[in-house]
Amino acid sequence: MTPPGKTTKSATGNRRKSTGSPIGQARKESVLLAAAKVFAEKGFSSATVRDVADEAGMLSGSLYYYFDSKEAIVEQVLLDYLDTVIREYRAAVADAAGPAEALRELMARALLSVARNRYQVLILQNDWHYVQDFPSISRGQNEIAQIWMDVIDAGMAGGVFRKEFSARMVYRTVMGAVQAIIRWFDPDGPITIDEIIHIETELLLNGVNVPAR
């Protein structure tokens, strides 16, 4: 059941199709960057169009030249992110020599993506109860999960990965660990994202046990 004030209709259906000149396109991008920050920090439900406009340095009425609603803005923010992630994941799988290499590369790209797209990930985590009602967002998340599970299933079928766990459970466990770095990773801290990628991929793929000799 959809909560009051929410809709299952895709906001992209009402999104404006053109932003005019290159300057207009650049302005639209600045709105999306501002919106990602505002929605992540304030929460989508609490944030207002005026908040986004203030962050973007423009009048709130001017936002409606680019988007018809706050819902259209958040959907575009998340779709841009999800589309990029899906392209990167598909490229990783296509370039990998096999399931083991593909899974390691998926993990590396996922960790890097979380570090680079903090605001979008926070919106998905904190406001999933809202944004899941957009069919386009749900489709994107489902496509991502399927890419991972296809690799895991292939590894299980080929005897590379253990078979006693379901592919979905493996995916959820790994992705949970990957996305958790958003709560503690500091880009300016003593550990780099490259070091985190090395540590997490080793731990998640090989565990903490000393390899048998």
Side-chain angles (χ1 to χ4, degrees), residues 6 32 48 50 61 67 92 101 129 131 141 144 178 185 187 192 201 211:
K6 294 172 66 176
L32 292 172
T48 66
R50 182 179 294 277
F67 298 96
E101 183 180 327
H129 61 286
V131 299
Q141 289 286 72
I144 286 172
V178 166
F185 171 62
T192 68
T201 53

PDB file of all heavy atoms in Angstrom, residues 6 32 48 50 61 67 92 101 129 131 141 144 178 185 187 192 201 211:
ATOM      1  N   LYS A   6       2.413   9.797  -1.430  1.00  0.00           N
ATOM      2  CA  LYS A   6       3.399   9.158  -2.292  1.00  0.00           C
ATOM      3  C   LYS A   6       2.711   8.629  -3.541  1.00  0.00           C
ATOM      4  O   LYS A   6       1.508   8.436  -3.570  1.00  0.00           O
ATOM      5  CB  LYS A   6       4.108   8.026  -1.546  1.00  0.00           C
ATOM      6  CG  LYS A   6       4.962   8.508  -0.400  1.00  0.00           C
ATOM      7  CD  LYS A   6       5.482   7.380   0.421  1.00  0.00           C
ATOM      8  CE  LYS A   6       6.435   6.521  -0.336  1.00  0.00           C
ATOM      9  NZ  LYS A   6       7.019   5.467   0.490  1.00  0.00           N
ATOM     10  N   LEU A  32      21.083  19.117 -10.000  1.00  0.00           N
ATOM     11  CA  LEU A  32      21.145  17.715  -9.583  1.00  0.00           C
ATOM     12  C   LEU A  32      22.213  17.501  -8.515  1.00  0.00           C
ATOM     13  O   LEU A  32      21.999  16.753  -7.554  1.00  0.00           O
ATOM     14  CB  LEU A  32      21.425  16.826 -10.793  1.00  0.00           C
ATOM     15  CG  LEU A  32      20.288  16.736 -11.821  1.00  0.00           C
ATOM     16  CD1 LEU A  32      20.752  15.989 -13.066  1.00  0.00           C
ATOM     17  CD2 LEU A  32      19.060  16.061 -11.227  1.00  0.00           C
ATOM     18  N   THR A  48      13.096  20.506   0.975  1.00  0.00           N
ATOM     19  CA  THR A  48      12.143  21.223   0.139  1.00  0.00           C
ATOM     20  C   THR A  48      12.811  21.681  -1.157  1.00  0.00           C
ATOM     21  O   THR A  48      14.042  21.691  -1.275  1.00  0.00           O
ATOM     22  CB  THR A  48      11.598  22.461   0.863  1.00  0.00           C
ATOM     23  OG1 THR A  48      12.683  23.401   1.062  1.00  0.00           O
ATOM     24  CG2 THR A  48      10.997  22.080   2.209  1.00  0.00           C
ATOM     25  N   ARG A  50      12.857  24.652  -2.089  1.00  0.00           N
ATOM     26  CA  ARG A  50      13.596  25.861  -1.724  1.00  0.00           C
ATOM     27  C   ARG A  50      14.995  25.508  -1.205  1.00  0.00           C
ATOM     28  O   ARG A  50      15.961  26.210  -1.494  1.00  0.00           O
ATOM     29  CB  ARG A  50      12.829  26.653  -0.666  1.00  0.00           C
ATOM     30  CG  ARG A  50      13.531  27.966  -0.259  1.00  0.00           C
ATOM     31  CD  ARG A  50      12.707  28.717   0.764  1.00  0.00           C
ATOM     32  NE  ARG A  50      11.467  29.168   0.195  1.00  0.00           N
ATOM     33  CZ  ARG A  50      11.338  30.295  -0.537  1.00  0.00           C
ATOM     34  NH1 ARG A  50      12.409  31.032  -0.787  1.00  0.00           N
ATOM     35  NH2 ARG A  50      10.168  30.658  -1.002  1.00  0.00           N
ATOM     36  N   GLY A  61      11.607  29.100  -7.857  1.00  0.00           N
ATOM     37  CA  GLY A  61      10.748  29.039  -9.040  1.00  0.00           C
ATOM     38  C   GLY A  61      11.508  28.660 -10.296  1.00  0.00           C
ATOM     39  O   GLY A  61      10.939  28.062 -11.226  1.00  0.00           O
ATOM     40  N   PHE A  67      12.744  20.864 -13.844  1.00  0.00           N
ATOM     41  CA  PHE A  67      12.024  19.722 -13.301  1.00  0.00           C
ATOM     42  C   PHE A  67      10.637  20.155 -12.852  1.00  0.00           C
ATOM     43  O   PHE A  67      10.457  21.251 -12.341  1.00  0.00           O
ATOM     44  CB  PHE A  67      12.787  19.119 -12.111  1.00  0.00           C
ATOM     45  CG  PHE A  67      14.134  18.588 -12.456  1.00  0.00           C
ATOM     46  CD1 PHE A  67      15.274  19.357 -12.270  1.00  0.00           C
ATOM     47  CD2 PHE A  67      14.278  17.305 -12.968  1.00  0.00           C
ATOM     48  CE1 PHE A  67      16.528  18.870 -12.587  1.00  0.00           C
ATOM     49  CE2 PHE A  67      15.527  16.804 -13.288  1.00  0.00           C
ATOM     50  CZ  PHE A  67      16.656  17.584 -13.106  1.00  0.00           C
ATOM     51  N   ALA A  92      32.666  -4.672 -16.408  1.00  0.00           N
ATOM     52  CA  ALA A  92      33.538  -5.500 -15.574  1.00  0.00           C
ATOM     53  C   ALA A  92      33.334  -6.972 -15.862  1.00  0.00           C
ATOM     54  O   ALA A  92      34.305  -7.745 -15.983  1.00  0.00           O
ATOM     55  CB  ALA A  92      33.268  -5.207 -14.096  1.00  0.00           C
ATOM     56  N   GLU A 101      37.218 -13.668 -11.157  1.00  0.00           N
ATOM     57  CA  GLU A 101      37.737 -12.350 -11.522  1.00  0.00           C
ATOM     58  C   GLU A 101      36.599 -11.341 -11.631  1.00  0.00           C
ATOM     59  O   GLU A 101      36.733 -10.186 -11.224  1.00  0.00           O
ATOM     60  CB  GLU A 101      38.496 -12.423 -12.846  1.00  0.00           C
ATOM     61  CG  GLU A 101      39.120 -11.094 -13.259  1.00  0.00           C
ATOM     62  CD  GLU A 101      39.873 -11.187 -14.574  1.00  0.00           C
ATOM     63  OE1 GLU A 101      40.451 -12.263 -14.853  1.00  0.00           O
ATOM     64  OE2 GLU A 101      39.889 -10.198 -15.321  1.00  0.00           O
ATOM     65  N   HIS A 129      12.435   3.532   1.508  1.00  0.00           N
ATOM     66  CA  HIS A 129      10.994   3.336   1.698  1.00  0.00           C
ATOM     67  C   HIS A 129      10.183   4.249   0.788  1.00  0.00           C
ATOM     68  O   HIS A 129       9.029   3.958   0.471  1.00  0.00           O
ATOM     69  CB  HIS A 129      10.614   3.621   3.162  1.00  0.00           C
ATOM     70  CG  HIS A 129      10.901   5.014   3.603  1.00  0.00           C
ATOM     71  ND1 HIS A 129      12.188   5.456   3.858  1.00  0.00           N
ATOM     72  CD2 HIS A 129      10.085   6.072   3.821  1.00  0.00           C
ATOM     73  CE1 HIS A 129      12.143   6.728   4.222  1.00  0.00           C
ATOM     74  NE2 HIS A 129      10.891   7.129   4.195  1.00  0.00           N
ATOM     75  N   VAL A 131      11.776   5.964  -2.321  1.00  0.00           N
ATOM     76  CA  VAL A 131      12.200   5.905  -3.719  1.00  0.00           C
ATOM     77  C   VAL A 131      11.941   4.548  -4.361  1.00  0.00           C
ATOM     78  O   VAL A 131      11.949   4.442  -5.598  1.00  0.00           O
ATOM     79  CB  VAL A 131      13.691   6.302  -3.866  1.00  0.00           C
ATOM     80  CG1 VAL A 131      13.914   7.712  -3.393  1.00  0.00           C
ATOM     81  CG2 VAL A 131      14.607   5.329  -3.140  1.00  0.00           C
ATOM     82  N   GLN A 141      17.803  -1.120  -9.464  1.00  0.00           N
ATOM     83  CA  GLN A 141      18.330  -1.913  -8.362  1.00  0.00           C
ATOM     84  C   GLN A 141      18.234  -3.412  -8.666  1.00  0.00           C
ATOM     85  O   GLN A 141      19.144  -4.185  -8.346  1.00  0.00           O
ATOM     86  CB  GLN A 141      17.565  -1.586  -7.072  1.00  0.00           C
ATOM     87  CG  GLN A 141      17.863  -0.209  -6.502  1.00  0.00           C
ATOM     88  CD  GLN A 141      19.229  -0.148  -5.847  1.00  0.00           C
ATOM     89  OE1 GLN A 141      20.263  -0.153  -6.516  1.00  0.00           O
ATOM     90  NE2 GLN A 141      19.250  -0.089  -4.529  1.00  0.00           N
ATOM     91  N   ILE A 144      20.957  -4.415 -11.144  1.00  0.00           N
ATOM     92  CA  ILE A 144      22.253  -4.523 -10.469  1.00  0.00           C
ATOM     93  C   ILE A 144      22.352  -5.855  -9.733  1.00  0.00           C
ATOM     94  O   ILE A 144      23.355  -6.578  -9.852  1.00  0.00           O
ATOM     95  CB  ILE A 144      22.439  -3.348  -9.498  1.00  0.00           C
ATOM     96  CG1 ILE A 144      22.738  -2.065 -10.281  1.00  0.00           C
ATOM     97  CG2 ILE A 144      23.561  -3.648  -8.497  1.00  0.00           C
ATOM     98  CD1 ILE A 144      22.740  -0.811  -9.430  1.00  0.00           C
ATOM     99  N   VAL A 178      29.975  -3.783   1.518  1.00  0.00           N
ATOM    100  CA  VAL A 178      30.476  -2.734   0.628  1.00  0.00           C
ATOM    101  C   VAL A 178      29.854  -1.385   0.974  1.00  0.00           C
ATOM    102  O   VAL A 178      30.542  -0.374   1.147  1.00  0.00           O
ATOM    103  CB  VAL A 178      30.186  -3.099  -0.844  1.00  0.00           C
ATOM    104  CG1 VAL A 178      30.379  -1.883  -1.746  1.00  0.00           C
ATOM    105  CG2 VAL A 178      31.084  -4.245  -1.299  1.00  0.00           C
ATOM    106  N   PHE A 185      34.129   5.542   6.119  1.00  0.00           N
ATOM    107  CA  PHE A 185      35.250   5.919   5.264  1.00  0.00           C
ATOM    108  C   PHE A 185      35.383   7.438   5.169  1.00  0.00           C
ATOM    109  O   PHE A 185      34.421   8.150   4.880  1.00  0.00           O
ATOM    110  CB  PHE A 185      35.086   5.341   3.863  1.00  0.00           C
ATOM    111  CG  PHE A 185      36.103   5.860   2.877  1.00  0.00           C
ATOM    112  CD1 PHE A 185      37.459   5.629   3.077  1.00  0.00           C
ATOM    113  CD2 PHE A 185      35.707   6.591   1.770  1.00  0.00           C
ATOM    114  CE1 PHE A 185      38.401   6.112   2.178  1.00  0.00           C
ATOM    115  CE2 PHE A 185      36.638   7.072   0.872  1.00  0.00           C
ATOM    116  CZ  PHE A 185      37.994   6.834   1.074  1.00  0.00           C
ATOM    117  N   PRO A 187      37.475  10.203   3.089  1.00  0.00           N
ATOM    118  CA  PRO A 187      38.389  10.409   1.959  1.00  0.00           C
ATOM    119  C   PRO A 187      39.669  11.127   2.342  1.00  0.00           C
ATOM    120  O   PRO A 187      40.700  10.978   1.668  1.00  0.00           O
ATOM    121  CB  PRO A 187      37.551  11.252   0.985  1.00  0.00           C
ATOM    122  CG  PRO A 187      36.132  10.971   1.357  1.00  0.00           C
ATOM    123  CD  PRO A 187      36.145  10.772   2.843  1.00  0.00           C
ATOM    124  N   THR A 192      43.307   4.916   2.255  1.00  0.00           N
ATOM    125  CA  THR A 192      42.773   5.308   0.955  1.00  0.00           C
ATOM    126  C   THR A 192      41.714   4.318   0.483  1.00  0.00           C
ATOM    127  O   THR A 192      41.635   3.182   0.981  1.00  0.00           O
ATOM    128  CB  THR A 192      43.887   5.369  -0.096  1.00  0.00           C
ATOM    129  OG1 THR A 192      44.370   4.033  -0.343  1.00  0.00           O
ATOM    130  CG2 THR A 192      45.043   6.252   0.378  1.00  0.00           C
ATOM    131  N   THR A 201      38.086  -6.780  -0.505  1.00  0.00           N
ATOM    132  CA  THR A 201      37.967  -7.875  -1.465  1.00  0.00           C
ATOM    133  C   THR A 201      38.660  -9.133  -0.952  1.00  0.00           C
ATOM    134  O   THR A 201      38.148 -10.250  -1.112  1.00  0.00           O
ATOM    135  CB  THR A 201      38.547  -7.477  -2.838  1.00  0.00           C
ATOM    136  OG1 THR A 201      39.880  -6.988  -2.681  1.00  0.00           O
ATOM    137  CG2 THR A 201      37.692  -6.430  -3.515  1.00  0.00           C
ATOM    138  N   PRO A 211      45.379 -19.282   4.999  1.00  0.00           N
ATOM    139  CA  PRO A 211      45.215 -20.298   3.945  1.00  0.00           C
ATOM    140  C   PRO A 211      45.913 -21.610   4.324  1.00  0.00           C
ATOM    141  O   PRO A 211      46.986 -21.602   4.919  1.00  0.00           O
ATOM    142  CB  PRO A 211      45.915 -19.641   2.738  1.00  0.00           C
ATOM    143  CG  PRO A 211      45.878 -18.177   3.027  1.00  0.00           C
ATOM    144  CD  PRO A 211      45.987 -18.049   4.520  1.00  0.00           C
TER     145      PRO A 211
END
